[in-house]
Amino acid sequence: ALFGNILDNAREACLALPPEHRWVQLSVKWDNRGMLFVSVKNPVAEAALKNAEDLATDKGDALLHGLGLKNARRVAEAFGGTVETGVADGKFHLRLVLYNI
């Protein structure tokens, strides 16, 4: 569910862009201390940059959408981890760390 949520968010952000500007970079690393590191980057449309701090869904029914980041934060909390998000240089990034995996 974690990967489905965050990759679906990245895919939807890319669909707002011309095809030649669509890409998603996913990095997953697990180390021998039981830590899982996940990083996702994708470009975002200019309109999304204006609401970058909000990161709310732009879909009509906010009760049924916009759950991806909330779910990622819940998973991180369950594993004593962290989630960081931000936008820089026209790219959204998410960094997630889980412990004791």
Side-chain angles (χ1 to χ4, degrees):
L2 171 69
F3 287 99
N5 286 157
I6 59 179
L7 290 174
D8 192 47
N9 285 353
R11 180 189 65 82
E12 288 185 15
C14 286
L15 289 176
L17 299 167
E20 64 272 15
H21 296 288
R22 297 175 186 168
W23 55 268
V24 176
Q25 179 183 25
L26 170 67
S27 173
V28 180
K29 184 187 226 180
W30 180 79
D31 74 5
N32 61 359
R33 298 173 293 169
M35 295 172 64
L36 182 70
F37 302 90
V38 178
S39 171
V40 177
K41 292 182 184 178
N42 57 272
V44 292
E46 190 67 32
L49 292 175
K50 294 175 184 167
N51 295 324
E53 283 87 38
D54 187 0
L55 295 176
T57 185
D58 60 356
K59 294 180 182 161
D61 190 349
L63 291 176
L64 297 177
H65 298 285
L67 302 175
L69 289 176
K70 290 176 189 171
N71 286 340
R73 287 187 173 95
R74 277 190 217 124
V75 169
E77 185 178 304
F79 287 91
T82 61
V83 176
E84 297 175 4
T85 61
V87 178
D89 300 322
K91 298 172 196 75
F92 173 81
H93 66 267
L94 176 139
R95 289 183 207 98
L96 178 126
V97 180
L98 304 179
Y99 299 96
N100 301 315
I101 298 295

